[in-house]
């Protein structure tokens, strides 16, 4: 399993249990450095464990739990402790993403990444920012479990979908194999 850890906060933000796919813009061009994964609603709590004996021990579904024993949650949000937050205006987001890209560049330098890799990342940055700015009114912003606003993941609902896709700026994450 691969766990994607945020370079700035150290938060675990995603794992290989949620397959990533390349993001494409409205013209069908890949947005370099940006990946996304789908999410879905799952039932949390009220687990029905069948040990192979059916109702041999009595009780039935009506007896199990009470009202509210089950809760529907988004599998990505729940698995990684995302916390929705707000960014005021598109101009606020533009300032935030500029600071974020510079912070990632600093972390890459500190980690001893090759100069070419850092330059590649900085060349990707405008395309990533443009992708989100074009969709700003549709983007939801999430902090990781540490609630550190210096880093975020983003979600956008695709047309007709009931759950969002989550977007990650991949150079801002380290991949740890377990």
């Amino acid at each position: 399993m691969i766990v994607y850890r945020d370079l700035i906060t150290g938060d675990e933000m995603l794992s290989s249990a949620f397959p990533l796919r390349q993001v494409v813009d409205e013209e069908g061009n890949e947005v370099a450095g940006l990946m996304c994964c789908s999410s879905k609603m799952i039932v949390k709590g009220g687990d029905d464990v069948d040990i192979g004996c059916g109702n041999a021990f009595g009780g039935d579904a009506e007896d199990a739990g009470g009202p509210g024993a089950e809760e529907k949650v988004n599998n990505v949000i729940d698995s990684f402790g995302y916390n929705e937050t707000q960014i005021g205006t598109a101009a606020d987001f533009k300032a935030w993403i500029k600071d974020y890209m510079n912070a990632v560049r600093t972390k890459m330098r500190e980690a001893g990444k090759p100069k070419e890799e850092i330059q590649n990342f900085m060349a990707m940055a405008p395309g990533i920012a443009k992708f989100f700015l074009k969709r700003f009114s549709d983007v939801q912003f999430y902090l990781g479990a540490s609630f550190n606003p210096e880093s975020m993941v983003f979600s956008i609902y695709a047309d007709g979908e009931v759950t969002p896709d989550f977007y990650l700026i991949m150079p801002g994450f380290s991949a740890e194999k377990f």
Side-chain angles (χ1 to χ4, degrees):
M1 171 177 280
I2 297 172
V3 172
Y4 298 98
R5 188 175 298 277
D6 188 284
L7 290 179
I8 296 170
T9 65
D11 292 342
E12 290 182 7
M13 299 300 278
L14 202 64
S15 76
S16 57
F18 300 88
L20 290 169
R21 64 185 185 281
Q22 182 66 51
V23 174
V24 294
D25 63 17
E26 56 274 351
E27 288 93 37
N29 301 312
E30 288 187 356
V31 180
L34 192 60
M35 301 288 281
C36 71
C37 73
S38 298
S39 67
K40 64 182 179 180
M41 296 303 287
I42 58 170
V43 175
K44 181 178 178 178
D47 294 331
D48 183 18
V49 178
D50 182 0
I51 59 170
C53 298
N55 280 335
F57 297 105
D60 75 53
E62 295 167 9
D63 298 336
E70 293 181 352
E71 173 187 11
K72 282 195 163 211
V73 297
N74 182 287
N75 63 339
V76 175
I77 294 170
D78 188 63
S79 294
F80 298 97
Y82 292 177
N83 301 283
E84 190 170 4
T85 191
Q86 302 294 318
I87 287 191
T89 65
D92 295 332
F93 175 72
K94 191 173 182 179
W96 177 88
I97 202 160
K98 180 180 178 184
D99 291 343
Y100 172 77
M101 297 297 189
N102 286 325
V104 169
R105 177 177 56 191
T106 299
K107 289 291 187 181
M108 292 173 81
R109 282 183 184 149
E110 290 172 359
K113 298 284 183 184
K115 185 177 181 179
E116 297 78 29
E117 189 175 333
I118 296 169
Q119 288 173 335
N120 263 354
F121 166 65
M122 293 312 289
M124 294 177 205
I128 294 169
K130 181 180 172 184
F131 177 85
F132 286 119
L133 285 167
K134 280 187 171 182
R135 295 159 183 77
F136 180 77
S137 62
D138 297 326
V139 178
Q140 291 177 299
F141 304 93
Y142 291 89
L143 303 174
S146 68
F147 286 87
N148 186 336
E150 291 179 19
S151 186
M152 292 186 219
V153 294
F154 316 94
S155 73
I156 299 173
Y157 285 81
D159 289 337
E161 294 295 324
V162 295
T163 56
D165 289 335
F166 285 88
Y167 292 76
L168 290 90
I169 300 171
M170 294 310 291
F173 296 89
S174 64
E176 298 177 5
K177 195 168 187 174
F178 289 93

